[in-house]
């Protein structure tokens, strides 16, 4: 499953020693040994590798990884270069365009965001091929709740973007008055028109960062071609 070795380890390392995580580890290991699982095992913790805890400025919560071949690479909403942009990410790009004037890029790789301090966290970190939500309820939720709690404890302003009902339920965990919580419906085609479009999360996040003398996020994902 790979390992976490940067400053996340002191904050969440205790989780790896808990009984639930041992069960989770054994379950995930068996799944990788017997089925097609996404993302690749070495990519499970990419969000933590690319965005150390001390660099987190924004948290965007997803649910579980994309479940089609070649899509997931350990960052919520992101797909690898050369893979068709999923509908939810298309809607995120549309809202970015309307909100801050970015152009719609030709790819869905959000690594640029992660390297700037955007923690792209799914609440479940693995999934069976073509079976959405197939790894829910096996312990990942407890682990990622510990991650959210660790970010909440950070004594500095951080933006949380909670899109959709599962993410919005995490609001109860966020009791640090220094943080900004932005809630909206999920950007999927089923719900984007119920309030995700027009929610302007990107300009609101940057305004908050700017007000707190923190370098803003350059949200523009550049074309590859």
């Amino acid at each position: 499953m790979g390992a976490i070795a940067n400053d996340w380890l002191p904050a969440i390392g205790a989780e790896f020693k808990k009984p639930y995580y041992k069960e989770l580890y054994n379950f995930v290991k068996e799944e990788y040994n017997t089925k097609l699982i996404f993302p690749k095992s070495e990519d499970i913790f990419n969000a933590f590798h690319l965005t150390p805890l001390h660099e987190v400025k924004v948290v965007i919560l997803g649910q579980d990884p994309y479940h089609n071949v070649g899509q997931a690479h350990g960052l919520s909403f992101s797909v690898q270069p050369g893979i068709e942009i999923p509908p939810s990410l298309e809607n995120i790009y549309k809202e970015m365009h309307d909100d801050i004037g970015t152009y719609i890029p030709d790819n869905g790789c959000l690594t640029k965001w992660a390297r700037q301090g955007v923690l792209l966290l799914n609440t479940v970190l693995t999934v069976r091929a073509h079976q959405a939500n197939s790894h829910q309820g096996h312990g990942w939720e407890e682990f990622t709740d510990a991650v959210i709690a660790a970010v909440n404890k950070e004594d500095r302003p951080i933006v949380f973007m909670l899109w959709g009902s599962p993410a919005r339920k995490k609001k109860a965990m966020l009791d640090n008055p220094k943080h900004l919580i932005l809630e909206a419906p999920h950007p999927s085609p089923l719900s984007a028109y119920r309030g995700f479009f027009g929610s302007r999360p990107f300009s609101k996040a940057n305004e908050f960062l700017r007000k707190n003398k923190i370098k803003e996020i350059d949200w523009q994902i550049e074309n590859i071609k």
Side-chain angles (χ1 to χ4, degrees):
M1 275 170 60
I4 295 175
N6 58 14
D7 67 348
W8 282 104
L9 198 54
I12 61 172
E15 300 302 307
F16 298 124
K17 300 173 183 174
K18 293 182 178 179
Y20 87 85
Y21 192 87
K22 183 178 181 181
E23 292 180 15
L24 169 64
Y25 179 88
N26 289 335
F27 167 76
V28 171
K29 185 177 179 182
E30 177 66 14
E31 288 283 289
Y32 274 98
N33 286 338
T34 58
K35 299 177 179 68
L36 182 58
I37 305 299
F38 301 127
K40 293 178 181 178
S41 60
E42 62 266 28
D43 290 341
I44 292 174
F45 294 124
N46 265 356
F48 305 95
H49 301 325
L50 291 168
T51 314
L53 177 57
H54 74 279
E55 293 181 6
V56 174
K57 300 177 184 178
V58 179
V59 179
I60 299 180
L61 280 178
Q63 296 177 30
D64 66 340
Y66 295 123
H67 54 79
N68 289 328
V69 175
Q71 290 181 308
H73 63 124
L75 305 177
S76 64
F77 294 104
S78 180
V79 291
Q80 300 191 76
I83 299 297
E84 184 178 358
I85 300 171
S88 291
L89 184 53
E90 279 189 3
N91 287 337
I92 291 170
Y93 283 164
K94 288 176 185 175
E95 177 60 19
M96 279 173 51
H97 171 74
D98 293 346
D99 184 10
I100 56 176
T102 50
Y103 65 79
I104 308 293
D106 63 5
N107 69 96
C109 183
L110 306 181
T111 300
K112 177 182 175 180
W113 291 1
R115 294 190 188 282
Q116 292 181 83
V118 181
L119 180 64
L120 295 164
L121 179 67
N122 281 315
T123 54
V124 174
L125 300 186
T126 53
V127 70
R128 285 182 196 163
H130 316 303
Q131 295 183 46
N133 306 321
S134 49
H135 282 189
Q136 285 188 355
H138 289 278
W140 278 129
E141 295 90 344
E142 187 168 347
F143 178 77
T144 53
D145 275 358
V147 173
I148 294 166
V151 179
N152 179 62
K153 287 179 186 174
E154 287 289 287
D155 188 28
R156 56 196 173 81
I158 294 171
V159 182
F160 288 82
M161 296 185 182
L162 308 181
W163 298 337
S165 297
R168 294 170 89 166
K169 288 176 183 174
K170 306 300 182 184
K171 184 178 180 179
M173 300 177 61
L174 306 176
D175 57 3
N176 187 331
K178 293 193 173 183
H179 301 330
L180 174 67
I181 301 171
L182 300 175
E183 294 184 78
H186 197 274
S188 79
L190 296 172
S191 55
Y193 287 96
R194 298 180 194 152
F196 176 77
F197 289 136
S199 61
R200 305 190 65 211
F202 307 100
S203 61
K204 289 176 181 175
N206 274 355
E207 180 184 359
F208 177 77
L209 295 173
R210 188 166 57 246
K211 185 176 73 175
N212 286 284
K213 298 180 172 53
I214 299 169
K215 187 177 181 182
E216 300 171 42
I217 304 299
D218 175 6
W219 294 105
Q220 180 67 70
I221 299 297
E222 286 82 11
N223 286 336
I224 291 177
K225 296 175 184 175

